[in-house]
Amino acid sequence: MAESGAKYEEHTDSGSVNIQFPSDKSKMVSGGSSNGSDRSLLVVIAIVAVVAIIALVIAIVGFTKPPKMTVNVGNGDSNTGSGSQVQPSTGDSQRTNTGGQDDDKTWVFAIGHDGTSLEYIHDDGGLRGFHVDIVNAVCDLANKDCRFMFDVYGRCWDSEAGQLPRIGVGLADGWYDACTGWFATYERLRTVTFTHAFRKPFSATFFVQAGNPRNFNWQNLTGKKIGIADGWAADEYCIKRNSDKITGAELSSDQMIHYPNVESLDQAVLDGTVDAGFGNVNIFSGSALESIGQEITNCMKDGGAMMSRKDNRLSDWWNPAFERLKDSSRYREICNKAMEDHGHMPGEILCVD
């Protein structure tokens, strides 16, 4: 402490504020009273304290603000993992400015395992596929913090024989912001919304045992049992829309049998539990079944996209970022590289133009 006076030191996160006070009160204000000097000293101390508190608050806010990052889905050993990696954009100028109240939000996307090149569980336990690559790239361009949540498809969209299809409990209750890679259909658009499509829609068709030993006629479904994969775009409502070319297109509840996955539907056709299965043209890729009849093109209204509730703001930043991705060489690189990275899995990837 200096002999000429007392030294008041206030510590803040940005440094120290030093104020020198004379040791003799009479030297503070020439001719001033002792009470006036005391009050001046208290005012100075109060100001210093307020400045210190403000500096502390600013430091805390800056420390706790989460960084922006893109999602990489690995084997669960960490939050982001080391799944299908995407090279980050070089330079902030390449990223979309998506200013708004959702800048610091963590966006959560449901994804499943359909056993195709679109999305599957790798041998190391992590998620892989074209959908993982696309989400990585879009979130990187938009500078968003994104995460995948693995879940069963029925919690995104559900359907049961004899009932109207409906939004799944996971998407309805906000467990995640969107479900990855779902097709826009007439039935779904009544309830949910979709981002711009990042892959083309599929046609649908009927599938039968090789050689069609049951002589199934796809143009006459009277009295026939049809197997349908639960929640898929190619369903009984799509069949009904084609009553102009299919007799008996409006199936009764005992004619349609829903199956929880493609494998169980495939087996039902093979063992004769149903006369035929109905699904996307790529649904039985690698199966012993064969397609029959004319392809049906009006099951889907648009291609594969992110499916979200209508009150979700995902499209506000996703669509601009995806359009930038699509207009760059990066989107085509992801599409071309998909066969190299995921070609060991069945399924065809049809990228948009």
Side-chain angles (χ1 to χ4, degrees), residues 293-314:
Q294 177 183 325
E295 290 188 1
I296 294 174
T297 60
N298 61 353
C299 287
M300 303 173 188
K301 194 170 174 57
D302 203 357
M306 306 301 287
M307 180 175 73
S308 63
R309 286 175 24 154
K310 291 189 175 182
D311 59 351
N312 193 282
R313 303 295 298 275
L314 172 65

Side-chain angles (χ1 to χ4, degrees), residues 71-74 80-87 120 122 126-134 136-137 341-342:
V71 59
N72 291 295
V73 181
T80 55
S82 58
S84 296
Q85 298 289 336
V86 59
Q87 293 299 320
Y120 60 94
H122 192 265
L127 291 166
R128 299 289 191 276
F130 174 74
H131 287 165
V132 175
D133 300 339
I134 287 294
N136 266 321
D341 292 343
H342 316 299

Side-chain angles (χ1 to χ4, degrees), residues 98-107 144 311 313 316-317:
T98 58
Q101 60 181 353
D102 290 327
D103 277 357
D104 296 328
K105 172 181 170 64
T106 296
W107 296 85
K144 295 294 183 180
D311 59 351
R313 303 295 298 275
D316 291 354
W317 63 264

Side-chain angles (χ1 to χ4, degrees), residues 69-72 84-89 94-96 109 129-144 146 148 198 317-318 320-326 328-335:
M69 62 190 72
T70 54
V71 59
N72 291 295
S84 296
Q85 298 289 336
V86 59
Q87 293 299 320
S89 300
Q94 295 186 18
R95 291 192 171 123
T96 303
F109 305 131
F130 174 74
H131 287 165
V132 175
D133 300 339
I134 287 294
V135 171
N136 266 321
V138 174
C139 288
D140 177 61
L141 272 179
N143 197 23
K144 295 294 183 180
C146 302
F148 279 125
F198 43 77
W317 63 264
W318 177 282
F322 174 70
E323 289 304 316
R324 291 192 62 196
L325 176 70
K326 189 176 67 171
S328 71
S329 60
R330 196 171 171 196
Y331 174 69
R332 197 53 54 185
E333 289 170 359
I334 293 173
C335 294

Side-chain angles (χ1 to χ4, degrees), residues 177-197:
D177 293 285
C179 297
T180 308
W182 287 73
F183 293 107
T185 68
Y186 298 89
E187 290 74 28
R188 291 171 185 169
L189 285 167
R190 292 197 296 257
T191 307
V192 295
T193 189
F194 295 83
T195 63
H196 293 175

Side-chain angles (χ1 to χ4, degrees), residues 12-90:
T12 70
D13 286 353
S14 59
S16 299
V17 179
N18 298 320
I19 300 176
Q20 194 76 25
F21 301 109
S23 59
D24 187 352
K25 294 180 181 178
S26 64
K27 295 179 182 178
M28 295 175 64
V29 180
S30 178
S33 66
S34 175
N35 288 339
S37 299
D38 289 345
R39 283 196 296 272
S40 297
L41 177 60
L42 290 175
V43 169
V44 172
I45 294 174
I47 292 173
V48 172
V50 169
V51 171
I53 292 172
I54 292 174
L56 182 60
V57 170
I58 292 173
I60 291 174
V61 171
F63 180 76
T64 57
K65 186 175 181 179
K68 304 290 180 59
M69 62 190 72
T70 54
V71 59
N72 291 295
V73 181
N75 57 13
D77 291 338
S78 64
N79 286 336
T80 55
S82 58
S84 296
Q85 298 289 336
V86 59
Q87 293 299 320
S89 300
T90 56

Side-chain angles (χ1 to χ4, degrees), residues 234-255:
D235 59 10
E236 61 267 34
Y237 297 96
C238 180
I239 296 175
K240 184 179 178 180
R241 277 197 293 276
N242 290 273
S243 58
D244 60 327
K245 60 176 74 77
I246 301 175
T247 301
E250 187 167 356
L251 302 174
S252 63
S253 59
D254 61 347
Q255 281 184 273

